[in-house]
Amino acid sequence: MAKWYDYPQYFDMLFRDETPVEVEFFEAAFKRFAGRKVKRLLEPGCGSGRLVVAMANRGYDVTGIDLSEAMLRYTERKLKRRGLNATCVLGDMTAIEVEQPFDAAFCTYNTFRHLLTEKDAVTHLQTLGDAIAPGGLYILGMHLVPEEEYEAVVERFTIRHAGTELKTTISVPETDLKKRLETLRVKLIAKRRSGEKIKIESEFPLRLYTPTQLKRLFKKVSDRWELAESYDFAYDIDDPLPFDKELLEGLFILRRK
């Protein structure tokens, strides 16, 4: 059974339909909330690089950081095919070192939750704060869990693109509320135009956050960051939502003090 990160093209395919609306939202947020002109961008945990490529295509100076060499090489090939330039760095989200500060950063769709401890989450926000210039932004998106007991939902969907059919099942076989960890299981069956099938299965832990727990985390880094506004995954810049217990698909605009 193959692993998800060994096939960056399918990782990319899962989220490709979200890219245009995310990019539009990023640019609208830069104009509305940034206290400086935004040119240099950073994506910690960039994965297959779909957003790195998309923002580079819009003329931004983009750097992507990821722990997966396969993902970074895939990103570099995409950039080369499109005649674009961006910087791909093999590195850790908790150890961001830069020579020149960035104007904004973004991290969407639960990548932040790969930081499994409070210490790592705080360190990431602190070091990222040191890498972002005053007035710059951090656009952070993640699923939150309800304050009360809940039952995890199994998601199943099929995507077709360029002759490939990708059937995906996402489930949570294990949850430990005390340790604030869940196990995410992703199963994919990719059927190529030739008829070849590739089965992929990966499991990995993610940290859990209720709205209250995330507010507490933000408070710990309030010397660097202020919450400018909160949204959900509709990515509607004109429809902000209160950061309360009902916000379970959270998209947060943090501004560097």
Side-chain angles (χ1 to χ4, degrees):
M1 185 75 70
K3 296 297 183 182
W4 191 2
Y5 290 103
D6 294 332
Y7 288 87
Q9 66 270 37
Y10 300 137
F11 183 93
D12 202 63
M13 189 173 165
L14 278 179
F15 300 104
R16 67 184 305 274
D17 288 345
E18 304 296 329
T19 303
V21 69
E22 286 183 88
V23 168
E24 293 292 338
F25 180 86
F26 291 167
E27 293 200 310
F30 298 161
K31 293 177 182 177
R32 183 166 299 191
F33 299 111
R36 59 186 296 109
K37 183 177 180 180
V38 176
K39 177 64 177 177
R40 301 190 73 243
L41 301 177
L42 174 66
E43 183 180 13
C46 64
S48 63
R50 63 186 181 87
L51 291 171
V52 169
V53 174
M55 297 307 284
N57 189 53
R58 295 208 173 195
Y60 293 91
D61 178 359
V62 192
T63 295
I65 300 175
D66 205 274
L67 282 173
S68 170
E69 192 167 351
M71 290 285 186
L72 294 175
R73 300 295 84 80
Y74 178 76
T75 301
E76 289 174 342
R77 291 195 297 271
K78 285 199 301 181
L79 290 164
K80 185 177 181 179
R81 286 197 303 269
R82 291 163 174 77
L84 300 171
N85 293 311
T87 303
C88 296
V89 178
L90 185 66
D92 193 314
M93 291 172 65
T94 61
I96 299 171
E97 297 181 4
V98 299
E99 295 182 2
Q100 181 183 352
F102 292 91
D103 303 310
F106 47 86
C107 181
T108 59
Y109 278 102
N110 295 312
T111 301
F112 179 81
R113 293 174 56 213
H114 284 282
L115 301 170
L116 301 180
T117 68
E118 190 82 356
K119 179 181 177 181
D120 282 348
V122 170
T123 299
H124 167 71
L125 291 170
Q126 289 174 334
T127 57
L128 184 65
D130 294 339
I132 301 293
L137 303 181
Y138 187 22
I139 302 175
L140 180 62
M142 71 186 84
H143 287 93
L144 305 175
V145 295
E147 305 283 347
E148 66 279 358
E149 289 188 15
Y150 68 97
E151 185 173 341
V153 176
V154 177
E155 296 182 70
R156 295 183 177 88
F157 49 92
T158 300
I159 299 170
R160 296 174 179 86
H161 176 67
T164 296
E165 179 185 82
L166 190 64
K167 292 185 176 181
T168 304
T169 302
I170 300 176
S171 60
V172 179
E174 186 177 356
T175 300
D176 189 327
L177 294 178
K178 187 175 181 180
K179 293 182 178 179
R180 289 178 55 189
L181 295 174
E182 69 178 8
T183 300
L184 194 71
R185 177 182 294 158
V186 182
K187 292 184 178 181
L188 302 96
I189 300 176
K191 183 177 180 181
R192 296 176 173 173
R193 184 178 288 145
S194 63
E196 178 189 7
K197 285 187 178 181
I198 298 174
K199 294 184 179 180
I200 301 167
E201 182 175 334
S202 288
E203 285 189 5
F204 41 85
L206 294 175
R207 186 161 177 79
L208 296 172
Y209 288 94
T210 64
T212 298
Q213 289 165 343
L214 187 60
K215 283 183 179 180
R216 289 174 184 162
L217 177 64
F218 287 166
K219 188 174 182 179
K220 289 182 179 181
V221 293
S222 59
D223 60 323
R224 289 172 172 82
W225 298 105
E226 62 179 345
L227 180 63
E229 195 55 274
S230 52
Y231 294 87
D232 63 9
F233 289 173
Y235 290 93
D236 185 347
I237 196 69
D238 294 317
D239 187 25
L241 296 171
F243 186 11
D244 57 19
K245 294 181 180 181
E246 302 301 317
L247 186 61
L248 299 182
E249 291 186 342
L251 185 64
F252 305 97
I253 311 295
L254 301 176
R255 184 166 49 225
R256 183 68 169 92
K257 289 184 176 180

Coordinates of all heavy atoms in Angstrom, one line a residue, residues 13 19 24-26 28 30 40 59 63 66 83 86 89 93 107 117 137 165 188 199 209 211 215-216 251:
M13 N -4.2 17.2 -6.3 CA -5.5 17.0 -7.0 C -6.7 17.2 -6.0 O -7.7 17.7 -6.3 CB -5.6 15.7 -7.7 CG -6.8 15.4 -8.6 SD -6.5 13.8 -9.5 CE -8.2 13.6 -10.1
T19 N -8.1 26.2 -4.8 CA -7.0 27.1 -5.0 C -7.5 28.5 -5.5 O -7.1 29.5 -4.9 CB -5.9 26.6 -6.0 OG1 -5.5 25.3 -5.4 CG2 -4.8 27.5 -6.1
E24 N -7.9 34.4 -4.3 CA -8.6 35.6 -4.3 C -8.8 36.2 -2.8 O -8.7 37.4 -2.6 CB -10.0 35.4 -4.9 CG -10.0 35.1 -6.4 CD -9.5 36.2 -7.2 OE1 -9.6 37.4 -6.8 OE2 -9.0 36.0 -8.4
F25 N -9.1 35.3 -1.9 CA -9.2 35.7 -0.5 C -7.9 36.3 0.0 O -7.9 37.3 0.7 CB -9.7 34.5 0.3 CG -9.9 34.9 1.8 CD1 -11.1 35.4 2.2 CD2 -8.9 34.7 2.7 CE1 -11.3 35.7 3.5 CE2 -9.0 35.1 4.0 CZ -10.3 35.6 4.5
F26 N -6.8 35.6 -0.3 CA -5.5 36.1 0.2 C -5.3 37.6 -0.2 O -4.9 38.4 0.6 CB -4.4 35.2 -0.3 CG -4.3 33.8 0.3 CD1 -3.5 32.9 -0.3 CD2 -5.0 33.5 1.4 CE1 -3.4 31.6 0.2 CE2 -5.0 32.2 1.9 CZ -4.1 31.3 1.3
A28 N -7.4 39.8 -1.3 CA -8.4 40.7 -0.7 C -8.0 41.0 0.8 O -8.1 42.1 1.3 CB -9.8 40.1 -0.7
F30 N -4.9 40.9 2.0 CA -3.8 41.7 2.0 C -4.2 43.2 1.9 O -3.6 44.1 2.7 CB -2.8 41.4 0.8 CG -2.3 40.0 0.8 CD1 -1.8 39.5 -0.3 CD2 -2.2 39.3 2.0 CE1 -1.3 38.2 -0.3 CE2 -1.7 38.0 2.0 CZ -1.2 37.4 0.8
R40 N 6.4 39.8 -0.4 CA 7.2 38.6 -0.1 C 6.3 37.7 0.8 O 5.8 38.1 1.8 CB 8.5 38.9 0.7 CG 9.4 39.7 -0.1 CD 10.8 39.8 0.6 NE 11.5 38.5 0.5 CZ 11.8 37.8 1.5 NH1 11.5 38.1 2.7 NH2 12.5 36.6 1.3
G59 N 2.7 37.0 -9.4 CA 3.8 37.9 -9.3 C 4.4 38.1 -7.9 O 5.3 39.0 -7.7
T63 N 8.1 31.8 -0.8 CA 8.9 30.7 -0.3 C 8.0 29.7 0.4 O 7.1 30.1 1.2 CB 9.9 31.3 0.8 OG1 10.8 32.2 0.2 CG2 10.7 30.2 1.5
D66 N 8.7 22.8 3.8 CA 8.0 21.6 4.1 C 9.0 20.5 4.5 O 10.2 20.6 4.1 CB 7.2 21.0 2.8 CG 6.1 20.1 3.2 OD1 6.4 18.9 3.4 OD2 5.0 20.6 3.4
G83 N 7.3 28.1 -16.0 CA 8.3 29.2 -16.1 C 8.2 30.2 -15.0 O 8.4 31.4 -15.2
A86 N 10.1 30.4 -7.5 CA 9.8 30.5 -6.0 C 10.9 29.7 -5.3 O 11.6 29.0 -5.9 CB 8.4 29.8 -5.8
V89 N 12.1 25.2 0.5 CA 13.0 24.9 1.6 C 12.6 23.7 2.3 O 11.5 23.6 2.8 CB 13.1 26.1 2.5 CG1 14.0 25.8 3.7 CG2 13.5 27.4 1.8
M93 N 8.5 23.7 10.6 CA 7.7 24.8 10.9 C 8.0 25.5 12.2 O 7.6 26.7 12.4 CB 6.2 24.4 10.9 CG 5.6 24.0 9.6 SD 3.9 23.3 9.8 CE 3.0 24.8 10.4
C107 N -1.3 29.4 5.9 CA -1.2 28.0 6.3 C -2.7 27.5 6.5 O -3.3 27.8 7.5 CB -0.4 27.9 7.6 SG -0.2 26.2 8.1
T117 N 2.1 19.4 19.9 CA 2.2 19.9 21.3 C 1.9 21.4 21.4 O 2.1 22.1 20.4 CB 3.5 19.6 21.9 OG1 4.5 20.4 21.3 CG2 3.9 18.1 21.8
L137 N 0.7 39.9 7.7 CA -0.4 39.0 8.1 C 0.1 37.5 8.1 O 1.0 37.1 7.5 CB -1.5 39.1 7.1 CG -2.1 40.5 6.9 CD1 -3.2 40.4 5.8 CD2 -2.6 41.1 8.2
E165 N -9.3 9.4 -12.1 CA -10.4 9.4 -11.2 C -9.8 9.1 -9.8 O -9.0 8.1 -9.6 CB -11.4 8.4 -11.5 CG -12.6 8.3 -10.5 CD -13.5 7.2 -10.8 OE1 -13.2 6.0 -10.4 OE2 -14.6 7.4 -11.5
L188 N -7.1 6.5 -0.6 CA -7.4 6.9 -2.0 C -7.2 5.8 -2.9 O -6.3 4.9 -2.8 CB -6.4 8.1 -2.4 CG -6.4 9.3 -1.5 CD1 -5.3 9.2 -0.5 CD2 -6.1 10.6 -2.4
K199 N -3.6 2.2 -5.0 CA -4.2 2.3 -3.7 C -3.2 3.0 -2.7 O -2.1 2.5 -2.6 CB -4.7 0.9 -3.2 CG -5.7 0.3 -4.1 CD -6.2 -1.0 -3.5 CE -7.3 -1.6 -4.3 NZ -7.8 -2.9 -3.7
Y209 N -8.2 21.2 18.6 CA -8.5 22.6 19.2 C -10.0 22.8 19.2 O -10.6 22.7 18.2 CB -7.8 23.7 18.3 CG -6.3 23.8 18.4 CD1 -5.5 23.1 17.5 CD2 -5.7 24.5 19.4 CE1 -4.2 23.2 17.5 CE2 -4.3 24.6 19.5 CZ -3.6 23.9 18.5 OH -2.2 24.0 18.6
P211 N -12.6 26.0 19.9 CA -12.5 27.4 19.8 C -11.8 28.1 21.0 O -11.0 28.9 20.9 CB -13.9 27.9 19.6 CG -14.6 26.8 18.9 CD -14.0 25.6 19.5
K215 N -8.3 30.1 21.2 CA -8.2 31.5 21.7 C -7.1 31.6 22.8 O -6.3 32.6 22.8 CB -9.5 31.9 22.4 CG -10.6 32.3 21.4 CD -11.9 32.7 22.1 CE -12.9 33.1 21.1 NZ -14.2 33.5 21.8
R216 N -7.0 30.6 23.6 CA -5.9 30.6 24.6 C -4.5 30.6 24.0 O -3.6 31.2 24.5 CB -6.1 29.4 25.6 CG -7.3 29.5 26.5 CD -7.5 28.2 27.3 NE -8.7 28.2 28.1 CZ -9.3 27.2 28.6 NH1 -8.8 26.0 28.4 NH2 -10.3 27.3 29.4
L251 N -11.0 30.3 9.8 CA -10.0 31.0 9.0 C -9.7 32.3 9.7 O -10.5 33.2 9.7 CB -10.6 31.2 7.6 CG -9.6 31.7 6.5 CD1 -8.5 30.8 6.3 CD2 -10.4 32.0 5.2

